[in-house]
Amino acid sequence: MDIQHSSGNVFADLGCSNPAALQLKARLMVAIDNHVKSQQWSPAESAHQLNLPLARVHSLLNQQFNAFSLDDIVELAAAIEIRMEFTSPSS
């Protein structure tokens, strides 16, 4: 059995197009989910805080990745004041 080392981005390892954007989207979705859980918001409160219909909140909290665009996720993270730090690779 051949062992392949990860690039650090599962989406790149799987050959997805635009793996960096997909990784960012996944990290933001996890951050939103963690924030909602840490605040102990009910689904209804989450809907209110995120300004989303309840059905969309369920999709988000059930990690339905393809139900949201990266832009959607960035806007949701901003709505609940999630801040992330970014670094760029050295030149």
Side-chain angles (χ1 to χ4, degrees), residues 43 53-64:
L54 195 53
R56 295 279 285 162
V57 168
H58 286 294
S59 295
L60 178 68
L61 299 180
N62 288 319
Q63 302 292 319
Q64 293 181 2

Side-chain angles (χ1 to χ4, degrees), residues 49-51 74-82:
Q49 294 292 332
L50 294 165
N51 195 29
V74 168
E75 287 181 20
L76 293 172
I80 56 175
E81 299 183 6
I82 289 178

Side-chain angles (χ1 to χ4, degrees), residues 15-81:
C16 297
S17 62
N18 209 354
L22 293 172
Q23 185 177 43
L24 175 60
K25 181 178 167 184
R27 286 182 176 174
L28 281 170
M29 286 185 79
V30 168
I32 292 167
D33 185 62
N34 288 342
H35 184 79
V36 167
K37 287 176 182 171
S38 74
Q39 296 298 311
Q40 299 180 335
W41 289 340
S42 67
E45 180 63 18
S46 298
H48 174 74
Q49 294 292 332
L50 294 165
N51 195 29
L52 282 178
L54 195 53
R56 295 279 285 162
V57 168
H58 286 294
S59 295
L60 178 68
L61 299 180
N62 288 319
Q63 302 292 319
Q64 293 181 2
F65 193 77
N66 292 325
F68 297 89
S69 69
L70 176 56
D71 288 344
D72 292 337
I73 296 301
V74 168
E75 287 181 20
L76 293 172
I80 56 175
E81 299 183 6

